[in-house]
Amino acid sequence: MEISNLYLHEEDKLHYLPTFKRFPLAFIKGKGSRLWDADGKEYIDLLAGIAVNNVGHCHPKVVKAIQEQAAELMHVSNFFVSPPQVALSKLLVDISYMDHVFLTNSGAESVEGAIKVARKWAHANGKGGTIISMENSFHGRTLATIATGQEKYQRGFAPIPTGFAQVPFNDIAAIKAVSSEEVAAIIVEPIQGEGGIRPANPQYLQQLRNYCDEHRILLIFDEIQCGVGRTGQYFAKDHYGVQPDIMTLAKGLGGGMAIGAFLCVKKVGDAIDFGDHGTTFGGNPLASAAALATLQVIQEEKLLDEATEKGAWLMDKLRGLQKEFGTIREVRGVGLMIGVQLDKPAAPLVKALMDRGIIANATADNVLRLVPPLNIPKSDLKTALEVLRELLTND
């Protein structure tokens, strides 16, 4: 097979379902915070597969764990247990202060599972099954998850599943206005990702926690993008000091290997019976070994501290650019989950950065999203800032 950006891009268009508006790039190698395309060009990666490669591309400890596990045992049915799954489950419960975990293959599957167990608990407690979500949220692309999300993702897929309601983000009064005994759970991203990197107001999540406790409603945190060290804590919830009843994970959990999870407290787990939920591939030995190694790297290399320090430094530099260039309206985020809101669409800037060897992306139309590996060298961040400054100067 010919290996070039052009050839692979054209072949892809012939065979792959046209659901992605792809850039004409084909990446063939990654190491740390660097990527190389099929034409040999090197890039600094500030996207990390959209907050997936939290420990960088092909971290040697993650690679070693995958290689060794692949040589021993890749998959068994969940009728049985395996050492990597048992170890990963214990670690996730320990660092989250939750009681139970269920391992999945993706973020959307994690949210689907969260919705199922929330409704099972609600029905067991004489309540309805309505799920309240937030405007501008994103929880996945399956039918149930688009029912929780933005209208643009629902178009053309009617009938959309019922039993969902949506309210403005950061607005406790809006929750109270639609709440009833029919509500099983409220799902919220502590930091909205696809909605433009928008953190919840500090008091909002505590207000939600108090309201849910008062009205026997489960609180679900979607930490698929903001979890696994991205914000400088294992989970964004820890910045707020608020504990959910259910929490969803994926993206950064496997260091690049596909794996997700949802965790829950004991009262939710107690409502689940044998056969209520299941998965063929979720938490298999290979994926679990990758996730376990990823979490161990985050611990051993103190990447929570790295994300905190580099994130604060980077946002300070970006706010300096904001003072210098009127194009930047706002810089927001936590740790290394950063959004730069522009006064115009961000896509042209993303393309210009890519042409200069910097990978980022646009979200919510006018927000430049920066979610690099947690262990990205500061020298790479400095280079990216220099390129960004040049592009803004010449804009």
Side-chain angles (χ1 to χ4, degrees), residues 2 28 34 63 95 110 182 199 210 272 286 293 319 379 388:
E2 179 185 348
I28 61 170
R34 298 296 180 110
V63 170
I95 64 176
S110 298
E182 287 301 307
N210 294 343
I272 303 305
L286 189 63
R319 286 177 178 135
S379 58
L388 179 59

Side-chain angles (χ1 to χ4, degrees), residues 33 38 44 56 101 117 141 155 170 179 186 203 211 224 280 360:
S33 57
I44 294 172
V101 62
V117 298
R141 301 275 193 159
R155 294 184 195 126
N170 278 326
S179 186
I186 297 169
Q203 70 278 12
Y211 186 81
I224 288 163
T280 296

Side-chain angles (χ1 to χ4, degrees), residues 74-119:
M74 288 193 283
H75 178 80
V76 290
S77 165
N78 275 305
F79 288 133
F80 313 98
V81 298
S82 69
Q85 188 187 94
V86 170
L88 175 61
S89 299
K90 181 182 186 305
L91 181 55
L92 284 171
V93 166
D94 287 347
I95 64 176
S96 67
Y97 304 102
M98 308 289 274
D99 296 305
H100 300 285
V101 62
F102 184 93
L103 297 171
T104 71
N105 303 284
S106 69
E109 187 184 337
S110 298
V111 175
E112 290 264 2
I115 291 169
K116 278 186 67 177
V117 298
R119 285 178 167 170

Side-chain angles (χ1 to χ4, degrees), residues 123-153:
H123 296 326
N125 285 273
K127 295 176 63 67
T130 297
I131 308 294
I132 298 176
S133 63
M134 308 300 149
E135 293 176 1
N136 297 315
S137 65
F138 183 87
H139 300 290
R141 301 275 193 159
T142 61
L143 282 170
T145 55
I146 64 172
T148 67
Q150 301 173 45
E151 184 181 352
K152 66 181 179 180
Y153 297 119

Side-chain angles (χ1 to χ4, degrees), residues 250-267:
K251 286 193 179 291
L253 183 57
M257 178 69 76
I259 185 171
F262 65 85
L263 295 104
C264 64
V265 297
K266 185 177 183 298
K267 70 178 181 180

Side-chain angles (χ1 to χ4, degrees), residues 315-331 389 392:
M315 280 194 279
D316 181 65
K317 296 299 182 184
L318 290 167
R319 286 177 178 135
L321 292 179
Q322 180 184 1
K323 294 175 182 177
E324 192 175 345
F325 300 98
T327 302
I328 299 177
R329 290 292 178 84
E330 185 180 5
V331 177
R389 174 188 290 278
L392 292 173

Side-chain angles (χ1 to χ4, degrees), residues 216-273:
R216 297 189 313 132
I217 296 171
L218 296 180
L219 182 58
I220 305 172
F221 283 177
D222 182 339
E223 295 236 15
I224 288 163
Q225 189 167 154
C226 61
V228 196
R230 171 59 47 194
T231 65
Q233 296 281 359
Y234 277 117
F235 311 107
K237 70 181 178 68
D238 299 326
H239 290 283
Y240 295 89
V242 177
Q243 190 76 343
D245 299 299
I246 304 172
M247 181 172 69
T248 62
L249 303 173
K251 286 193 179 291
L253 183 57
M257 178 69 76
I259 185 171
F262 65 85
L263 295 104
C264 64
V265 297
K266 185 177 183 298
K267 70 178 181 180
V268 178
D270 287 346
I272 303 305
D273 296 320

